[in-house]
Amino acid sequence: EGSEGYHIYLSHDMLSLPSVLMLATVASRASSFATSTSKAVNRFPARLDLLATRNMSMASSNNDSAWGDDEKYLFDLNGYIIVRGVLTPGEVKAANDAIDCHESEFVQRNDSSLRDAKEGTALYGSGPGRKDMGRVLEWGEESKVFKSVLAHPKLVPYFHGLLGKGYRLDHLPFIIAQDIGGEGFQLHGGTVDCTSGEYNPHLAYTCHQGILRNALLGVNVMLVDHNAGDGGFCVVKGSHKSNFKMPSGMVDGDKYQEFITQPTTKAGDVVLFSEGTVHGAMAWTPTDKQRRTCLYRFSPATNVYGRSYFGHEGGGWPKAMYDDLDEAQLSVLEAPYANRLDRPNIKDDGSIEITTRNKRKQQHDQEVFGTKYF
């Protein structure tokens, strides 16, 4: 055991010549390692078996990152994960103060055609419709906290792990509010649709060779505490990998309620969930507070569900959304296209790098198509 905590185990009957050469390379890069290794090689000049281990766990390389093997496992297991304390208490207050200033802009779902749950079912509550408020990224200085979510340092590692680099905003974010007895939302979504049983490619969750991807990722920023039994966001754990539609009555919360989970969260926590995970909302029960959350949806670089990114005058998102964005936040508003076509990617330090092709290929496309991009 050297000063760096290495253990070297050698036997004279196993190692091949390439392994000896590898040993020499390692030795040249670490003097303390080299000293112990060279002595061992001299002692066992024949075939050697080298096993170098360090006093650290396999997951330790991820200890400095918010997104590691534990988080991968938990998301793959459940279809959602909670990131605690993303917003500070001051930021939560600023967000709620901004909502208070725009409270008259709430639109309540009173019409029967807008209701999210069936009357008389477990998720319906006592009747008041849910309240929605949009344009949260268009309020100037009041939007600062909401804009921070686009490329928040605590969230970017999760976004890269669940969507890949070059991830993009897909839907316009909005505030969801429920008053006492306010209706929830019938269970919906699923990689395999929970109602029809059909495959949902635009919502699908996949995991291949250790890489997790979500065609559409829900990001629920909690602006009040959601204690056990309060209601609000709920999820069917593991349903992102289900192969069948739900039993009759379950989407309304009337059957198999033990499999429908309402996560407990504090104001400032963020729930990341695959839209391939069946989810909804329970009726709101507290009498002393209004439920408030801000819901975002993000997609991988080449995926698209919503169309707001090109649906406004002059193209692009609403103009006010671009005010006072830093370069990382701005990159998240890019339209869907592949990373190799000069897409800005957020680096670990929050700066931006452009992923691109070589200049000759770009020149070729210009000559063939009369434009820089095919």
Side-chain angles (χ1 to χ4, degrees):
E1 181 175 353
S3 61
E4 291 297 316
Y6 286 98
H7 296 270
I8 314 300
Y9 300 93
L10 301 167
S11 68
H12 60 79
D13 60 347
M14 293 297 293
L15 207 82
S16 63
L17 180 58
S19 298
V20 176
L21 295 176
M22 178 188 73
L23 175 63
T25 301
V26 173
S28 69
R29 294 181 179 177
S31 59
S32 61
F33 191 95
T35 301
S36 60
T37 302
S38 61
K39 291 178 181 178
V41 172
N42 290 333
R43 190 177 303 126
F44 302 105
R47 300 178 68 193
L48 302 171
D49 184 18
L50 171 66
L51 175 61
T53 62
R54 201 169 186 179
N55 292 330
M56 60 196 299
S57 70
M58 289 294 291
S60 64
S61 62
N62 295 315
N63 285 346
D64 294 333
S65 171
W67 177 256
D69 289 344
D70 289 5
E71 290 73 20
K72 273 188 179 182
Y73 175 82
L74 293 172
F75 192 94
D76 183 62
L77 176 69
N78 293 314
Y80 76 99
I81 194 166
I82 302 172
V83 188
R84 303 290 183 181
V86 173
L87 299 184
T88 66
E91 289 171 326
V92 171
K93 183 180 185 303
N96 279 309
D97 287 347
I99 294 170
D100 290 342
C101 290
H102 294 267
E103 192 166 10
S104 63
E105 298 172 27
F106 270 122
V107 178
Q108 191 164 16
R109 292 172 172 257
N110 289 324
D111 292 351
S112 59
S113 60
L114 294 175
R115 300 309 288 258
D116 294 322
K118 291 181 181 179
E119 187 172 0
T121 63
L123 300 180
Y124 186 76
S126 60
R130 193 182 84 181
K131 296 178 179 179
D132 299 340
M133 180 194 296
R135 302 184 177 181
V136 297
L137 301 183
E138 303 175 55
W139 295 342
E141 183 63 23
E142 292 176 322
S143 292
K144 184 176 181 180
V145 174
F146 300 106
K147 288 180 176 179
S148 73
V149 174
L150 299 176
H152 198 288
K154 291 184 179 180
L155 295 177
V156 167
Y158 289 87
F159 291 155
H160 285 166
L162 294 168
L163 299 166
K165 290 193 173 183
Y167 72 89
R168 52 177 295 274
L169 183 69
D170 190 90
H171 288 43
L172 289 166
F174 69 108
I175 305 297
I176 294 173
Q178 288 172 270
D179 296 320
I180 175 67
E183 71 167 340
F185 202 133
Q186 184 183 61
L187 296 178
H188 57 283
T191 299
V192 169
D193 187 86
C194 64
T195 301
S196 70
E198 297 180 1
Y199 175 60
N200 260 339
H202 48 284
L203 303 181
Y205 166 83
T206 60
C207 179
H208 294 294
Q209 298 182 333
I211 297 175
L212 281 58
R213 287 294 178 265
N214 297 272
L216 193 63
L217 184 73
V219 176
N220 228 341
V221 181
M222 301 303 185
L223 298 176
V224 299
D225 293 353
H226 289 60
N227 300 313
D230 280 355
F233 178 78
C234 63
V235 64
V236 180
K237 293 181 178 181
S239 55
H240 57 314
K241 295 187 285 189
S242 176
N243 292 299
F244 303 97
K245 67 179 182 180
M246 282 189 160
S248 176
M250 188 173 179
V251 294
D252 296 312
D254 290 335
K255 291 181 67 175
Y256 307 113
Q257 293 179 358
E258 66 271 27
F259 297 105
I260 305 172
T261 300
Q262 178 236 307
T264 58
T265 54
K266 294 293 186 182
D269 292 347
V270 175
V271 181
L272 307 178
F273 63 96
S274 175
E275 288 282 350
T277 305
V278 177
H279 59 283
M282 295 180 175
W284 189 244
T285 63
T287 59
D288 60 341
K289 61 185 175 183
Q290 182 184 63
R291 181 195 178 213
R292 286 182 178 180
T293 181
C294 189
L295 179 60
Y296 301 69
R297 275 89 155 214
F298 295 90
S299 290
T302 56
N303 281 63
V304 59
Y305 186 112
R307 54 181 291 172
S308 289
Y309 71 92
F310 70 84
H312 293 266
E313 184 179 352
W317 299 94
K319 291 181 180 179
M321 284 177 55
Y322 294 92
D323 294 342
D324 300 318
L325 295 181
D326 62 33
E327 61 178 3
Q329 295 165 352
L330 189 62
S331 73
V332 182
L333 300 188
E334 287 287 303
Y337 60 93
N339 276 326
R340 63 192 291 259
L341 300 178
D342 298 343
R343 189 177 193 90
N345 286 184
I346 303 173
K347 298 171 65 175
D348 291 341
D349 63 3
S351 63
I352 292 297
E353 64 179 352
I354 303 297
T355 52
T356 189
R357 301 168 296 151
N358 67 56
K359 297 295 183 182
R360 184 62 188 90
K361 288 184 177 180
Q362 294 181 31
Q363 178 186 346
H364 179 76
D365 286 347
Q366 185 69 45
E367 293 169 351
V368 173
F369 301 111
T371 181
K372 188 177 180 179
Y373 303 110
F374 55 82

